[in-house]
């Protein structure tokens, strides 16, 4: 049985660090409040001279190198992002050019906010299993610092910039690779977390900018509630679909939005926090970049071994959420 397998990972994180102490000089907040409510200690911020595709191409290059796949052999580039270089063309096409990937291969973006990476690997899986594409690069990248209201303490402390990438290809042994993906969305909850202006519904205007409607708007409590509930439910769906139990899971790679959300999921799924990989303290919430960045770090730290079962779960704007199970 042919499965899609992750054969290389990479990440790119901008060097500039913004600590909680730095934020306390900008808005009425404190390291204690942020750390206690979110687990975040610092986040990385991209230099204004660079864009999402710069981070994405750097992460993509590293994933290709780790996989031993030449950029010229990448058939398809999928970029999950809500902060791409521009509304069109896709950030993926900028990445294709920067990587030197195959002209005529396909490249496109997808918008599923913090679930973007899992939506991306699910699409890659379908392409690979049907034989349409052989080598698929899936990138999650965000430059959320560009759409955050730096005067709103309830949102600006949460987010960071970064990119993570995986190179996926076919594994004909059928033993290793992506076991399942489950994708969900509930459009009744679009208002809970959104960037209202800047699209066709509310084009950018002086009025929109004055009202800060081109920036992130969020009902934090609602997001929190749905995140715990739906990340838990989708994680359980992944386990059930594969006949797995909580005890089979080596690592949960959960969306790094907030440590308390992950603790809530840990309680409800019955997998201890010692098996949740955590890097939200150093990166903040990097939305679609969160999972591939965490995966890449976990591999770098030698935490993941051949045959390990990995359980991924994420939720974000849409609301959109998803899970995946992988045998490494
Ligand atoms: N520093 C100090 N005080 C703050 C801050 C801050 N940064 N932000 C809010 N407060 C204040 C509020 O003004 C409020 O004060 P008041 O009682 O005087 O009105 C008080 O703290 C409590 O505010 P709440 O919003 O009720 O705080 P809560 O405990 O819900 O925590 C938080 C807020 C951290 C945003 C939480 O709701 C949360 O984590 N939600 C999930 C949001 C999230 O992760 N979004 C990311 C995108 S979606 C995703 O990735 C899943």
């Amino acid at each position: 049985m042919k499965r899609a397998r992750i054969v290389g990972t990479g990440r790119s994180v901008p060097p500039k660090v913004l600590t909680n102490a730095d934020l306390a000089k900008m808005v009425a907040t404190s390291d204690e409040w942020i750390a206690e409510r979110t687990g975040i200690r610092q986040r990385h911020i991209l230099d204004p001279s660079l864009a999402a595709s710069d981070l994405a191409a750097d992460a993509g290059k590293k994933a290709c190198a780790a996989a031993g796949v030449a950029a010229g052999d990448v058939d398809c580039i999928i970029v999950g992002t809500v902060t791409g270089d521009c509304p069109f063309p896709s950030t993926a096409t900028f990445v294709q050019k920067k990587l030197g990937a195959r002209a005529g291969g396909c490249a496109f973006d997808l918008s599923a906010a913090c679930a973007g990476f899992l939506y991306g690997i699910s699409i890659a899986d379908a392409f690979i299993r049907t034989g349409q594409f052989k080598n698929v690069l899936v990138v999650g990248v965000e430059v959320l610092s560009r759409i955050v209201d730096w005067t709103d303490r309830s949102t600006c402390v949460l987010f960071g910039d970064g990119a993570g990438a995986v190179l996926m290809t076919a594994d004909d042994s059928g033993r290793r690779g992506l076991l399942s993906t489950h994708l969900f969305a509930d459009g009744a909850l679009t208002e809970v977390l959104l960037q209202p202006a800047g699209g066709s519904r509310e084009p950018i205007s002086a009025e929109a900018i004055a009202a800060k409607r081109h920036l992130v708007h969020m009902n934090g409590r609602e997001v929190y509630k749905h995140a715990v509930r739906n990340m838990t439910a989708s994680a359980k769906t992944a386990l059930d679909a594969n006949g797995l139990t909580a005890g089979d899971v080596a690592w949960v790679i959960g969306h790094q939005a907030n440590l308390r959300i992950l603790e809530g999921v840990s309680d409800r799924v019955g997998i201890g926090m010692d098996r949740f990989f955590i890097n939200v303290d150093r990166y903040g919430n990097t939305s679609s970049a969160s999972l591939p960045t965490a995966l890449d770090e976990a591999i770098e730290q030698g935490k993941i071994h051949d045959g390990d079962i990995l359980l991924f779960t994420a939720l974000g704007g849409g609301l959109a959420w998803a899970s995946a199970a992988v045998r490494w």
Side-chain angles (χ1 to χ4, degrees):
M1 181 188 175
K2 190 191 274 187
R3 285 194 192 283
R5 192 179 142 209
I6 295 171
V7 290
T9 65
R11 69 180 187 279
S12 184
V13 181
K16 184 182 172 195
V17 168
L18 188 71
T19 65
N20 290 352
D22 296 330
L23 274 168
K25 293 179 198 147
M26 298 160 59
V27 288
T29 191
S30 65
D31 178 45
E32 293 71 29
W33 194 97
I34 302 169
E36 188 190 308
R37 304 285 179 120
T38 71
I40 300 167
R41 294 277 179 189
Q42 62 170 53
R43 66 289 293 141
H44 291 254
I45 305 293
L46 187 64
D47 187 88
S49 65
L50 299 172
S53 65
D54 296 302
L55 283 176
D58 186 37
K61 244 178 226 163
K62 291 171 180 165
C64 289
V69 170
D73 292 331
V74 174
D75 311 300
C76 171
I77 301 173
I78 303 173
V79 174
T81 188
V82 295
T83 50
D85 287 26
C86 46
F88 75 89
S90 68
T91 298
T93 53
F94 289 106
V95 172
Q96 186 190 39
K97 180 177 164 192
K98 286 175 182 170
L99 271 181
R102 190 163 69 80
C106 93
F108 63 95
D109 291 357
L110 71 86
S111 174
C114 308
F117 175 72
L118 294 181
Y119 272 59
I121 62 170
S122 184
I123 295 167
D125 178 47
F127 281 151
I128 289 167
R129 282 192 292 115
T130 58
Q132 188 167 355
F133 296 116
K134 182 165 178 260
N135 295 318
V136 181
L137 183 68
V138 180
V139 188
V141 60
E142 300 296 355
V143 191
L144 291 160
S145 60
R146 305 275 159 85
I147 63 163
V148 158
D149 178 356
W150 289 104
T151 66
D152 174 12
R153 67 179 182 175
S154 68
T155 51
C156 75
V157 303
L158 302 175
F159 300 103
D161 301 336
V166 299
L167 196 287
M168 296 175 69
T169 194
D171 183 294
D172 292 320
S173 76
R175 284 192 302 275
R176 300 173 68 181
L178 207 50
L179 303 178
S180 66
T181 54
H182 290 90
L183 312 182
F184 308 92
D186 184 354
L189 297 167
T190 49
E191 299 298 320
V192 170
L193 176 57
L194 78 167
Q195 183 187 8
S200 58
R201 186 153 64 112
E202 199 174 333
I204 284 290
S205 64
E207 292 74 22
I209 292 172
K212 298 187 174 179
R213 292 183 60 76
H214 60 306
L215 302 176
V216 172
H217 288 241
M218 180 183 74
N219 179 335
R221 285 200 170 169
E222 278 298 298
V223 171
Y224 189 97
K225 192 176 75 188
H226 290 288
V228 173
R229 183 185 299 159
N230 293 322
M231 283 169 62
T232 299
S234 64
K236 286 183 173 171
T237 301
L239 292 178
D240 292 347
N242 294 291
L244 297 167
T245 65
D248 295 321
V249 176
W251 285 102
V252 178
I253 314 270
H255 174 42
Q256 307 286 311
N258 179 317
L259 188 60
R260 286 194 306 157
I261 291 176
L262 292 171
E263 287 169 348
V265 175
S266 162
D267 273 355
R268 288 162 180 78
V269 182
I271 301 177
M273 283 302 283
D274 56 328
R275 285 187 281 148
F276 274 62
F277 184 80
I278 302 295
N279 67 7
V280 67
D281 51 328
R282 286 171 291 118
Y283 295 133
N285 181 349
T286 59
S287 190
S288 63
S290 145
L291 293 181
T293 304
L295 175 64
D296 185 57
E297 273 209 329
I299 292 168
E300 188 178 80
Q301 292 173 15
K303 293 187 185 296
I304 296 177
H305 304 103
D306 286 0
D308 277 355
I309 298 291
L310 309 182
L311 179 59
F312 294 83
T313 178
L315 173 139
L319 295 179
W321 63 99
S323 66
V326 168
R327 180 174 290 109
W328 196 253

